[in-house]
Amino acid sequence: PIINQENFDKHKVYWGYFLGFNSYDYKIDYLQPNQYIEITKTTGFNVGLVGDLRLQEYINLRFEPGLYVTQRNLKYSNFSSERDVLREVKGTNIHFPLLLKFSSKRTGNIRPYLLGGISSTLNLGSNSKSIDDNLQQRFRVKPWTFNYEIGFGIDLYTEYFKFTPSIRGVFGLNDELIRDNDPNSSWTGNIDALKTRAVFINFTFH
């Protein structure tokens, strides 16, 4: 086959951008296992930049800052009023992942890879500074979260650029919940920890 972009991976540093989709969820640990919260996920969108540093032939260090817009809907079963049952948790996230990319040997114009690393996320819609809580229909989370990430993708070399579809799982490490002012709140009193879980599907262009 014709080999496209034959010397592309020999560059020490290269740049790109990505577009994609996300699906955010929460992993909830409960104090008492008799009251559960139903989480409905939605599909959000991603856009961001990619900086790639070649460490050696098969290992690269990547920095992929991006904007991730999402929404999670929490439904509580212990209320009768729709006003109290539903909490829409909207997120406008600035995501900062630092990842190691482990590539296989290139075969023709295809090169699969695995990647993993750590990340931090700033949620611009966290409501963390609000004094209102769920009594005023205000669900609050911490502005910063920390995560680890793992995923895989395929580098596809075209005549004019490198195109990379990838999928990645994101797993929050810290408890994000800001409890209500009432420690016995029906919305937050039974939650021991609330952590982000997410799946990213990105399409990267170099």
Side-chain angles (χ1 to χ4, degrees):
I2 298 174
I3 303 299
N4 298 320
Q5 304 286 328
E6 186 172 1
N7 296 315
F8 188 97
D9 292 329
K10 294 180 181 179
H11 297 160
K12 186 67 176 178
V13 177
Y14 59 86
W15 308 93
Y17 67 92
F18 66 84
L19 305 169
F21 305 97
N22 66 67
S23 177
Y24 273 81
D25 196 358
Y26 279 128
K27 177 183 181 294
I28 302 178
D29 297 326
Y30 299 93
L31 296 172
Q32 301 293 330
N34 58 353
Q35 177 185 333
Y36 294 96
I37 302 169
E38 179 186 346
I39 302 172
T40 304
K41 296 171 285 185
T42 63
T43 300
F45 70 90
N46 327 323
V47 60
L49 302 174
V50 176
D52 191 292
L53 172 65
R54 181 175 180 264
L55 300 180
Q56 58 109 308
E57 185 177 359
Y58 299 104
I59 302 177
N60 294 57
L61 181 65
R62 296 171 70 93
F63 181 53
E64 300 184 0
L67 173 68
Y68 291 72
V69 178
T70 187
Q71 179 173 320
R72 287 162 278 197
N73 298 324
L74 277 58
K75 293 185 178 180
Y76 291 81
S77 60
N78 55 327
F79 296 102
S80 57
S81 169
E82 183 67 23
R83 178 182 183 275
D84 296 327
V85 167
L86 180 64
R87 289 292 178 268
E88 295 181 349
V89 184
K90 298 180 180 181
T92 302
N93 301 326
I94 308 297
H95 192 63
F96 303 97
L98 189 62
L99 307 167
L100 281 175
K101 175 185 175 184
F102 302 91
S103 301
S104 69
K105 188 174 181 179
R106 176 172 172 172
T107 302
N109 292 314
I110 297 175
R111 194 179 194 190
Y113 66 85
L114 300 174
L115 80 168
I118 57 174
S119 62
S120 60
T121 305
L122 174 61
N123 184 355
L124 301 179
S126 67
N127 296 321
S128 60
K129 296 183 179 180
S130 173
I131 60 173
D132 294 335
D133 61 15
N134 279 290
L135 278 177
Q136 292 79 34
Q137 296 183 287
R138 189 66 57 88
F139 192 90
R140 301 177 298 178
V141 293
K142 297 173 184 176
W144 284 98
T145 58
F146 302 93
N147 324 280
Y148 70 91
E149 307 188 15
I150 54 175
F152 64 92
I154 302 176
D155 289 331
L156 303 173
Y157 300 83
T158 71
E159 184 177 356
Y160 300 107
F161 58 87
K162 184 169 75 170
F163 170 65
T164 304
S166 65
I167 184 168
R168 194 156 81 236
V170 180
F171 305 89
L173 295 171
N174 61 302
D175 179 19
E176 303 171 31
L177 182 65
I178 297 177
R179 271 72 182 173
D180 289 344
N181 302 320
D182 177 5
N184 298 315
S185 165
S186 298
W187 291 277
T188 64
N190 192 41
I191 297 177
D192 183 44
L194 179 140
K195 301 177 181 179
T196 283
R197 295 289 185 267
V199 175
F200 297 161
I201 298 176
N202 286 335
F203 303 96
T204 304
F205 302 84
H206 295 289

